[in-house]
Amino acid sequence: MNFTFIQGPGSRFLRLRYQLAGAFIAIFIPYLLIVLTSSPESVSIYLLTKTLFFSMLATILGVILFRSLSQYPGVEANAYTLPSFGISFGLLLAILILARFPYSRMLLFSSFGLIIIWFMFVNTIANRRRILTIGVVPGGDHELILGVEGVRWILLDAPELDTAAIHAVTADLRIDLAPEWDRWLADCALLGIPVYHTKHLAESLTGMVQLEHLSENSFGTLAPVSAFMTIKHLMDWLVAAIAMLFLLPLMAALCIAVRLDSPGPAIFRQTRMGYRGVPFTVYKFRTMHAAPTGASTLHAAKTQSEDSRITRIGSFLRRSRIDELPQIVNILKGEMSWIGPRPEARILSEWYEGEIPFYRYRHIVRPGITGWAQVNQGHVAEVDEVRNKLFFDFYYIKNYSPWIDLLIVSKTVQTVLTGFGAK
């Protein structure tokens, strides 16, 4: 990150020497394990040491790319982790193959994996602990940014603030600013102080895209990249087929446990709104008692926090997200993805569409078992909460890529372990 002058908690994680030190330790761990656990006849110390040296060079290049690309604080920093080190280690691998240099595949690939984990950890800790001081140029949508928490905002009265007192500056760059502001922003850029576009900065800090209007000014394009959608769909199906083979015995045992715990079917079926607005039947392990006769259909479709209808085993299944496993069948049928906006019950979706403009746009991608809104907000039901959830869904759609999917996977693991969002 380019916040070389930030002080305070978490700032050390953004310093180059800390990042490189942690990265080199991450590389040295598998090197040491291979040396200690392998016999001298089965491993070449020279080969391992050479691979270690090559990995260090790739790491340095990856850090340079990462610090050059990750200009915005917040979510975007993690989004550049995999591309940066994917390029550096990919380039190294291509050179080794083309030059026919011998190397340790185990050490190279384990080093790459640990580097990714280390930098995602670094960014997560830094974003949680540091508090930025950012000057806000008045005008345009500057009110939008002032409500974002975790940042000390200074609303500027005139272009005269001592730049040593701030870490960055934000302005609505879509409007025509007064000449004195333009000159001051140019001076900030020359001094190495980041100058951010207000809307872009708000999105990166919150992981949300505010609902304004469906236009190219807001999303860049109304349809995600189709090539990635096709590749992702194929990968979803392949992973689901493999997962089904391994998880089928566990799922059968859970069916029996659900039936023994409370009366009713083991599998819960519900019509939900799916890809491109086509309804489909979603499958889950039943975690709640059957709704009483005469209960409101809309009310029955909502799940509240500490819902009294949740069964004993259902509480564990929901907290661990195991209740979602039957949706592997939905993935195999092409109705869902592993990652995407969570599909809502059809009756709820129709209600939200009547209350929230552009709600249907979330159906532009396949719904997922886990998603960006789930790992950031958890389960919600009321319209105001769903509106905020939609901001997260729109951020995912706008930044639809393998990198944000990897971030969601890591956050999902954290969610399962901590319980946040598992309502």
Side-chain angles (χ1 to χ4, degrees):
M1 302 283 287
N2 291 335
F3 298 112
T4 56
F5 41 81
I6 292 178
Q7 302 296 325
S11 61
R12 65 173 62 91
F13 290 100
L14 300 175
R15 297 172 184 168
L16 180 60
R17 61 178 180 271
Y18 281 96
Q19 292 180 344
L20 283 177
F24 290 158
I25 292 174
I27 296 174
F28 189 73
I29 289 174
Y31 170 84
L32 188 61
L33 289 176
I34 295 174
V35 171
L36 294 177
T37 58
S38 303
S39 61
E41 297 80 13
S42 62
V43 64
S44 169
I45 300 298
Y46 173 73
L47 182 64
L48 286 174
T49 304
K50 186 166 62 173
T51 306
L52 177 65
F53 175 74
F54 288 146
S55 298
M56 292 175 68
L57 292 179
T59 299
I60 294 173
L61 176 59
V63 170
I64 293 173
L65 290 173
F66 175 74
R67 293 171 69 89
S68 300
L69 294 173
S70 55
Q71 299 293 319
Y72 276 76
V75 177
E76 279 198 18
N78 267 332
Y80 285 107
T81 303
L82 186 57
S84 299
F85 292 98
I87 291 173
S88 64
F89 275 81
L91 180 61
L92 169 63
L93 185 61
I95 293 175
L96 293 176
I97 292 175
L98 292 175
R100 297 186 177 182
F101 287 140
Y103 64 96
S104 170
R105 294 180 179 85
M106 180 181 297
L107 178 57
L108 185 65
F109 288 107
S110 59
S111 298
F112 173 72
L114 289 174
I115 288 295
I116 297 298
I117 294 173
W118 164 248
F119 273 89
M120 293 187 72
F121 168 78
V122 163
N123 284 314
T124 300
I125 296 298
N127 287 331
R128 285 181 178 178
R129 294 185 177 181
R130 63 179 174 165
I131 297 181
L132 299 175
T133 299
I134 299 180
V136 181
V137 175
D141 290 338
H142 77 272
E143 297 93 350
L144 172 71
I145 202 74
L146 298 178
V148 178
E149 299 179 354
V151 177
R152 186 180 296 110
W153 303 105
I154 298 179
L155 184 59
L156 306 176
D157 297 324
E160 300 174 353
L161 181 68
D162 181 6
T163 53
I166 57 177
H167 299 134
V169 177
T170 182
D172 188 342
L173 300 179
R174 296 176 299 182
I175 66 173
D176 291 329
L177 296 171
E180 59 269 20
W181 280 114
D182 282 334
R183 284 191 289 270
W184 186 75
L185 291 176
D187 289 339
C188 288
L190 292 174
L191 291 172
I193 298 176
V195 177
Y196 298 129
H197 177 38
T198 300
K199 183 176 178 61
H200 194 163
L201 178 61
E203 292 177 6
S204 185
L205 288 172
T206 63
M208 305 164 71
V209 169
Q210 297 292 325
L211 284 172
E212 293 179 353
H213 43 73
L214 295 183
S215 69
E216 291 192 351
N217 288 335
S218 179
F219 286 94
T221 175
L222 289 186
V225 180
S226 58
F228 174 57
M229 290 182 67
T230 301
I231 296 173
K232 180 181 178 182
H233 182 47
L234 293 174
M235 291 299 297
D236 283 337
W237 192 94
L238 179 61
V239 174
I242 296 173
M244 180 62 80
L245 291 176
F246 287 97
L247 296 176
L248 195 57
L250 172 63
M251 294 171 66
L254 289 173
C255 284
I256 297 173
V258 171
R259 290 294 301 273
L260 293 175
D261 182 57
S262 61
I267 300 297
F268 171 76
R269 295 172 174 82
Q270 186 180 56
T271 301
R272 299 197 178 186
M273 200 64 73
Y275 181 47
R276 293 183 175 174
V278 177
F280 73 104
T281 300
V282 73
Y283 306 103
K284 298 177 64 175
F285 286 119
R286 181 175 56 84
T287 61
M288 305 175 71
H289 295 285
T293 304
S296 168
T297 305
L298 181 60
H299 175 75
K302 298 180 182 178
T303 304
Q304 305 295 336
S305 178
E306 304 298 331
D307 200 310
S308 60
R309 295 172 295 171
I310 299 176
T311 63
R312 289 174 299 177
I313 191 172
S315 178
F316 165 74
L317 293 177
R318 295 171 72 89
R319 186 171 58 253
S320 61
R321 300 297 179 93
I322 294 177
D323 64 318
E324 313 284 1
L325 284 181
Q327 288 165 39
I328 293 176
V329 175
N330 292 116
I331 297 177
L332 293 174
K333 293 171 66 176
E335 298 166 334
M336 289 184 64
S337 170
W338 286 101
I339 300 172
R342 283 293 296 157
E344 294 287 359
R346 183 175 182 177
I347 187 171
L348 285 176
S349 182
E350 292 172 349
W351 178 40
Y352 298 148
E353 287 175 17
E355 298 289 335
I356 303 175
F358 318 125
Y359 180 84
R360 287 180 59 83
Y361 181 68
R362 73 193 299 269
H363 305 316
I364 195 69
V365 296
R366 282 182 175 81
I369 292 179
T370 185
W372 186 238
Q374 272 55 48
V375 298
N376 283 284
Q377 187 179 25
H379 178 79
V380 297
E382 300 305 324
V383 171
D384 289 341
E385 296 174 324
V386 170
R387 192 183 304 274
N388 285 332
K389 178 180 178 180
L390 198 57
F391 295 164
F392 286 112
D393 287 337
F394 275 23
Y395 184 88
Y396 175 76
I397 294 170
K398 180 178 180 179
N399 297 278
Y400 195 57
S401 70
W403 328 127
I404 194 170
D405 278 0
L406 179 65
L407 185 57
I408 291 172
V409 169
S410 65
K411 282 180 170 286
T412 299
V413 174
Q414 179 186 358
T415 297
V416 171
L417 296 176
T418 63
F420 173 77
K423 302 177 183 177

